[in-house]
């Protein structure tokens, strides 16, 4: 049955023919839609594989040189930082350490008495190996020579282990304005031992004074009888400290 043959029929037959043709067209459309495969889906992004290009030799060399320059620069900066901290730490000392190393001072340790001295009185001598001095010189193991002018705290302590039956025990700090000048008494102290001679006793003559000294001035500690002095390190001492 064709479309032309349908037009030759009467109206009723023509209506039936039209229905048959519509059915045939729908069936053909269904078969054609079922038979045709669906369009392929586009590939997913994760399935795409782009082969990387191999870097050129010049690019690898430039990258290596850049990394090497960064490493060398980091090493130089680290080394410079350690050197800066080291020299800064040496130059920036604590205040107490810097002041003690630059300020003039002396703490003298008494030396043992020399037995063959003609006069009982005289100047105490100092053990230069164990004494402490900074910016203070010495002269003939008895005199301290001032190198920096200024105000000094001068102190002395002399302990006597024996008494003098005729006079009190005395010690004096003597001053000379120069090596060839005559000495003068700057400070003087006394002490006495009373009681039985059989019981050992001690007395100490102490002196503390602030003195204004000039460069080249000399100080020494004098006692009236060297044989009566206690020569222990903690019993007899002499020193000065610049204020």
């Amino acid at each position: 049955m064709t479309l032309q043959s349908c037009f030759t029929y009467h109206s009723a037959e023509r209506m039936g023919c039209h229905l048959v043709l519509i059915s045939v067209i729908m069936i053909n459309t269904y078969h054609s839609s079922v038979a045709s495969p669906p369009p392929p889906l586009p590939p997913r992004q994760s399935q795409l594989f782009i082969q990387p290009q191999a870097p050129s030799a010049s690019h690898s060399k430039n990258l290596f040189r850049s990394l090497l320059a960064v490493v060398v620069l980091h090493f130089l900066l680290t080394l410079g930082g350690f050197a800066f901290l080291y020299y800064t730490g040496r130059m920036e000392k604590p205040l107490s350490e810097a002041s003690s190393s630059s300020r003039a001072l002396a703490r003298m340790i008494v030396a043992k008495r020399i037995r063959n001295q003609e006069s009982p009185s005289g100047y105490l001598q100092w053990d230069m190996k164990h004494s402490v001095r900074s910016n203070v010189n010495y002269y003939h193991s008895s005199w301290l020579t001032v190198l920096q002018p200024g105000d000094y705290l001068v102190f002395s302590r002399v302990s006597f282990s024996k008494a003098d039956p005729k006079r009190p025990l005395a010690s004096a700090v003597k001053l000379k304005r120069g090596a060839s000048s005559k000495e003068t008494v700057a400070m003087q102290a006394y002490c006495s031992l009373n009681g039985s001679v059989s019981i050992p006793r001690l007395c100490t003559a102490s002196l503390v004074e602030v003195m204004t000294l000039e460069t080249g001035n000399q100080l020494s500690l004098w006692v009236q009888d060297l044989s009566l002095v206690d020569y222990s390190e903690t019993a007899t001492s002499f020193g000065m400290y610049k204020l």
Side-chain angles (χ1 to χ4, degrees):
M1 182 182 294
T2 63
L3 184 59
Q4 293 179 356
S5 60
C6 286
F7 285 103
T8 59
Y9 298 133
H10 297 286
S11 60
E13 294 176 348
R14 190 180 300 170
M15 180 66 66
C17 182
H18 286 171
L19 292 175
V20 172
L21 288 176
I22 292 172
S23 299
V24 172
I25 291 171
M26 292 179 64
I27 292 171
N28 291 335
T29 303
Y30 172 75
H31 283 290
S32 61
S33 63
V34 172
S36 60
L41 296 175
R44 296 182 180 178
Q45 187 176 1
S46 60
Q47 294 178 352
L48 294 178
F49 178 77
I50 301 176
Q51 184 176 2
Q53 296 181 357
S56 61
S58 60
H59 178 73
S60 299
K61 290 182 179 179
N62 293 334
L63 181 60
F64 176 76
R65 290 174 181 174
S66 299
L67 292 176
L68 182 61
V70 171
V71 171
V72 172
L73 180 61
H74 183 269
F75 175 77
L76 293 178
L77 290 176
T78 304
L79 185 62
F82 277 114
F84 175 78
L85 292 176
Y86 175 74
Y87 287 105
T88 303
R90 292 188 60 183
M91 294 176 63
E92 296 180 358
K93 295 181 180 180
L95 180 61
S96 60
E97 183 179 353
S99 61
S100 64
S101 61
S102 60
R103 186 168 296 179
L105 59 90
R107 185 185 183 280
M108 310 308 294
I109 303 299
V110 66
K112 300 301 181 182
R113 181 200 172 197
I114 301 175
R115 299 290 182 179
N116 57 357
Q117 289 180 335
E118 297 178 358
S119 174
S121 63
Y123 298 97
L124 292 173
Q125 294 188 349
W126 311 108
D127 184 358
M128 294 301 174
K129 293 183 179 180
H130 299 91
S131 299
V132 178
R133 291 182 301 106
S134 176
N135 293 322
V136 175
N137 208 346
Y138 67 93
Y139 179 72
H140 285 180
S141 299
S142 295
W143 294 87
L144 297 180
T145 304
V146 177
L147 300 179
Q148 296 180 359
D151 294 332
Y152 285 80
L153 179 68
V154 181
F155 61 91
S156 70
R157 181 177 66 248
V158 180
S159 296
F160 296 94
S161 58
K162 298 177 183 179
D164 190 332
K166 297 181 180 179
R167 52 187 177 176
L169 302 170
S171 68
V173 174
K174 292 193 176 184
L175 169 66
K176 290 198 300 183
R177 298 297 176 179
S180 59
S181 302
K182 184 179 180 181
E183 65 268 13
T184 59
V185 177
M187 297 183 291
Q188 194 167 8
Y190 298 91
C191 72
S192 61
L193 288 172
N194 297 322
S196 174
V197 180
S198 60
I199 302 176
R201 295 178 181 272
L202 293 173
C203 74
T204 301
S206 300
L207 291 167
V208 178
E209 187 67 43
V210 176
M211 300 178 61
T212 301
L213 302 174
E214 302 294 335
T215 303
N217 291 172
Q218 294 181 338
L219 295 174
S220 186
L221 186 58
W222 175 91
V223 293
Q224 67 184 16
D225 194 338
L226 293 172
S227 63
L228 305 179
V229 175
D230 184 356
Y231 287 91
S232 302
E233 178 180 342
T234 57
T236 301
S237 63
F238 175 54
M240 55 195 304
Y241 184 82
K242 186 178 180 182
L243 300 176

